[in-house]
Amino acid sequence: MPVLLRLQKLLQSPLFWFLATSAFTLLYYFAAHEGFYFGDDYSYSLYAHQLLQGTYHLDEYVFCHRFMVFVPTALFYWLWGMNIYTTTLWPLLCTLGTYLLLFLTFRRTHPSATSWALVLLGFYYFQLNTSNYLYPDNILLFFSAACLLVLYKARSPLPNKSAKIGLGLLFATLNLLAFLTKETIVYAVPFYGCVFLYHIYSRKNRWFWVTAAVSGATFLFLYFYLYAFYTGHAFQRFIDIQNAGLADTSSTFISQPFISHLPRLTYGPILFFIGSGLAIPLIFAALYFFIPAKPKLINLQHPLSFWAVATLAMLLPIWVGSVSLGYYKPMPLLPRMFHPLLPAFCVLAGLSIERIGEKRWIYALLAILFALSAYLAGGVMWTLYLPPMLFFLVAFFWPVLRKAWLALCVVALAQAVRPAYFMLKPTVSYYFEQKNIVDQHLAHPEGNYTVYMDSTMLRRHPFFYGFKVPSNYTFKGYAAFDHHLTAPTDTTFLLINNGVLEHPELMMQLREKDILPFFPTAKLLDQKGKVKLYYLPQKQQP
């Protein structure tokens, strides 16, 4: 077989793209690992540690209710110890597990669609970005995909009563686990309702729904009963969510007129999709509306209709819905908030491409849509939209390029540019460098020591010690230093992590040049990357 034909066959194989996306994700996980984000991940890691120590308790913080984020992490801590890789292993496994679910479900019946779905999901930057942080979003991605795929299997009549009961119990269990991961699984409920009504109308799989309803109701009863038993209020989780929402929302926002939300409810999400890169799967998913002689949308037994309704039914509530029942507040337009929708986006895109074929006018339409996206996104986003636009434009005039597998390769390469940049660029937080300095210089078993550090590290430094901070160390902010005071300390250290100080998302105002004048006699002890450790001679120690 000629080399080109072998290459073509390889690039058309769902197995190849499953292995490619998995390998690319693993490469990103290690090469772009920033260690800690010093945000939500700190809380989840702390809860996992508390579970192992027997000190975990509900603390009125929203994250403490998301057991499926930190319980598996606690298991990894117990098995292999606490470090940054055991902290982020669970999101990685869920990411790879999502690829596996899609591959196993569609590889035989829709091989081309499988390849497209894997590429659109596995090379999407913001999905990769949350694969190496302890955040709930990629964990929810796995459970939401699993729930949708169970419904997909149940869309057709099941062979026997046992299969219906087993699948119904699995569906209820997966939704419970998703709910224990993050509350945004509720955006799938409208689609569940659509499938339920379709099955009721067509008199299919009643035992599936009876089992799912009974087991789901039982799970919820036990869930709320345990909350009532341990906290005194069955709905404590929702109370904490409401209080957190009020704390994060100004009274000005709540009282502003509804018309002020019109940009968010109309063109805002479209610009967000383009700016975040989500426009790529959505552009291909939009081809559904151009498929000739497609099945009726209400025919959920057909794969194309099933995933089209899934996309629309899940997108609508997150587009126009509110995160609060007490006042109107749309869901923030953050890429990770849309993770539960990614499986539907990507599968619909793959099925639409598979069904619509290689018609010439399709290439013209795609070239126009990608050109428009490149124009609206602006900045460096041209690297994402311009290569596909040029390919579809050239293919419009040159028929030999009108091959779906060629387009797939171009899209994969275009999507890989941004993740590759983050793999190759220097670290931002310099977590590993700071961890090295802490282990080497700030872990004396005896003596008394004081360490001055920035406000972020002052709150998050316990993680560097596995939440077992040495009792002979005192940690203070830079502003707490006063050289006129004296204290019983053997050595005073000044720790400056310029990566954290300069981190654009942490928005810290201090810089090293502002800090050092307060410590005029500080002597550099060690430096690793942008992390510097100074010691203060005894005469200036407080």
Side-chain angles (χ1 to χ4, degrees):
M1 184 184 294
V3 174
L4 288 178
L5 288 179
R6 289 181 180 177
L7 180 61
Q8 177 179 339
K9 185 177 180 180
L10 177 67
L11 295 175
Q12 289 176 318
S13 167
L15 177 60
F16 169 79
W17 288 110
F18 168 68
L19 296 175
T21 52
S22 299
F24 190 74
T25 299
L26 287 170
L27 179 62
Y28 180 90
Y29 176 84
F30 289 104
H33 209 307
E34 283 282 355
F36 236 49
Y37 191 75
F38 303 110
D40 303 3
D41 47 356
Y42 178 87
S43 298
Y44 296 125
S45 178
L46 176 60
Y47 296 141
H49 170 75
Q50 289 175 344
L51 276 178
L52 293 181
Q53 301 300 313
T55 58
Y56 169 78
H57 62 283
L58 296 174
D59 57 9
E60 300 182 355
Y61 197 38
V62 173
F63 301 154
C64 73
H65 304 284
R66 297 173 177 175
F67 299 101
M68 282 308 297
V69 180
F70 56 85
V71 171
T73 303
L75 174 62
F76 297 139
Y77 285 172
W78 180 71
L79 289 173
W80 301 301
M82 182 179 174
N83 58 65
I84 200 59
Y85 293 110
T86 53
T87 298
T88 54
L89 179 59
W90 180 225
L92 173 67
L93 292 178
C94 288
T95 303
L96 298 175
T98 305
Y99 303 159
L100 182 62
L101 289 177
L102 295 176
F103 173 71
L104 294 177
T105 302
F106 298 104
R107 73 188 191 282
R108 297 189 187 280
T109 54
H110 300 282
S112 178
T114 304
S115 300
W116 276 96
L118 288 170
V119 166
L120 293 172
L121 177 63
F123 286 81
Y124 173 49
Y125 167 71
F126 284 105
Q127 184 274 132
L128 291 168
N129 177 250
T130 45
S131 67
N132 55 10
Y133 287 114
L134 185 55
Y135 273 62
D137 305 286
N138 281 43
I139 304 167
L140 183 62
L141 170 68
F142 172 78
F143 286 120
S144 62
C147 292
L148 292 174
L149 292 173
V150 168
L151 271 189
Y152 179 72
K153 184 174 178 61
R155 79 194 189 284
S156 302
L158 296 170
N160 53 59
K161 185 177 178 180
S162 297
K164 296 174 185 178
I165 293 175
L167 211 59
L169 179 60
L170 177 62
F171 181 67
T173 303
L174 287 170
N175 274 282
L176 174 66
L177 296 177
F179 183 63
L180 293 177
T181 301
K182 195 175 183 181
E183 304 77 23
T184 47
I185 188 60
V186 298
Y187 288 108
V189 172
F191 176 60
Y192 296 167
C194 292
V195 180
F196 171 74
L197 292 175
Y198 171 75
H199 281 171
I200 292 298
Y201 176 78
S202 57
R203 300 175 181 272
K204 296 175 181 176
N205 296 334
R206 291 183 179 178
W207 276 107
F208 167 82
W209 288 106
V210 169
T211 306
V214 171
S215 54
T218 303
F219 291 153
L220 287 177
F221 172 79
L222 292 174
Y223 178 81
F224 291 125
Y225 173 79
L226 289 173
Y227 262 87
F229 180 80
Y230 284 105
T231 70
H233 203 299
F235 301 106
Q236 186 62 48
R237 180 178 185 180
F238 302 99
I239 293 173
D240 291 343
I241 292 173
Q242 182 182 26
N243 292 337
L246 286 171
D248 293 338
T249 308
S250 67
S251 58
T252 304
F253 179 90
I254 296 175
S255 61
Q256 64 186 0
F258 183 79
I259 194 172
S260 64
H261 297 297
L262 285 182
R264 165 62 180 81
L265 299 176
T266 52
Y267 62 85
I270 297 174
L271 296 179
F272 159 74
F273 293 144
I274 293 173
S276 65
L278 264 177
I280 287 192
L282 287 175
I283 285 174
F284 290 117
L287 294 179
Y288 165 83
F289 297 101
F290 299 94
I291 297 174
K294 58 179 173 286
K296 292 182 178 180
L297 194 62
I298 61 172
N299 181 16
L300 296 184
Q301 189 167 340
H302 195 284
L304 200 57
S305 300
F306 179 93
W307 291 103
V309 173
T311 297
L312 295 173
M314 294 174 69
L315 183 58
L316 182 62
I318 204 171
W319 192 308
V320 302
S322 173
V323 298
S324 171
L325 296 177
Y327 52 91
Y328 186 73
K329 182 181 180 181
M331 172 68 76
L333 292 178
L334 299 174
R336 59 190 179 90
M337 298 300 178
F338 287 79
H339 277 23
L341 283 69
L342 287 178
F345 287 174
C346 297
V347 172
L348 177 60
L351 291 172
S352 299
I353 295 167
E354 183 180 73
R355 181 69 179 268
I356 206 164
E358 298 169 355
K359 300 177 179 63
R360 188 186 184 202
W361 66 270
I362 290 296
Y363 284 80
L365 175 63
L366 290 172
I368 292 171
L369 291 176
F370 276 101
L372 184 61
S373 298
Y375 171 75
L376 292 175
V380 298
M381 291 300 287
W382 67 266
T383 59
L384 182 62
Y385 296 114
L386 193 59
M389 185 273 288
L390 292 175
F391 171 81
F392 290 121
L393 181 62
V394 173
F396 174 77
F397 295 103
W398 196 7
V400 71
L401 292 180
R402 292 179 206 155
K403 305 294 181 184
W405 64 273
L406 277 177
L408 179 61
C409 292
V410 172
V411 171
L413 289 173
Q415 284 192 295
V417 170
R418 190 173 187 181
Y421 165 76
F422 281 91
M423 288 187 235
L424 297 173
K425 78 174 187 64
T427 178
V428 174
S429 65
Y430 288 85
Y431 165 84
F432 295 99
E433 289 80 359
Q434 178 160 323
K435 175 63 174 169
N436 192 300
I437 282 182
V438 169
D439 291 344
Q440 185 176 349
H441 299 289
L442 303 178
H444 299 88
E446 297 179 353
N448 294 303
Y449 304 91
T450 300
V451 184
Y452 289 90
M453 51 178 49
D454 62 78
S455 57
T456 297
M457 290 299 103
L458 190 61
R459 297 190 306 271
R460 305 309 191 197
H461 71 271
F463 180 82
F464 289 88
Y465 293 97
F467 296 106
K468 297 178 182 179
V469 181
S471 59
N472 58 332
Y473 271 79
T474 301
F475 299 89
K476 298 181 179 181
Y478 299 132
F481 178 74
D482 187 344
H483 67 274
H484 295 296
L485 300 177
T486 59
T489 182
D490 295 314
T491 306
T492 299
F493 295 100
L494 171 64
L495 180 64
I496 299 179
N497 185 333
N498 287 291
V500 170
L501 297 179
E502 299 166 4
H503 197 301
E505 295 182 17
L506 295 179
M507 296 182 292
M508 302 185 71
Q509 302 299 319
L510 280 177
R511 293 294 183 266
E512 183 178 7
K513 63 180 179 62
D514 305 314
I515 299 166
L516 288 179
F518 291 98
F519 304 87
T521 62
K523 305 296 183 182
L524 184 64
L525 177 64
D526 196 359
Q527 177 176 357
K528 298 185 186 303
K530 287 190 174 184
V531 183
K532 297 179 180 180
L533 181 67
Y534 297 85
Y535 73 93
L536 275 62
Q538 287 290 335
K539 64 180 181 179
Q540 195 192 348
Q541 292 188 19

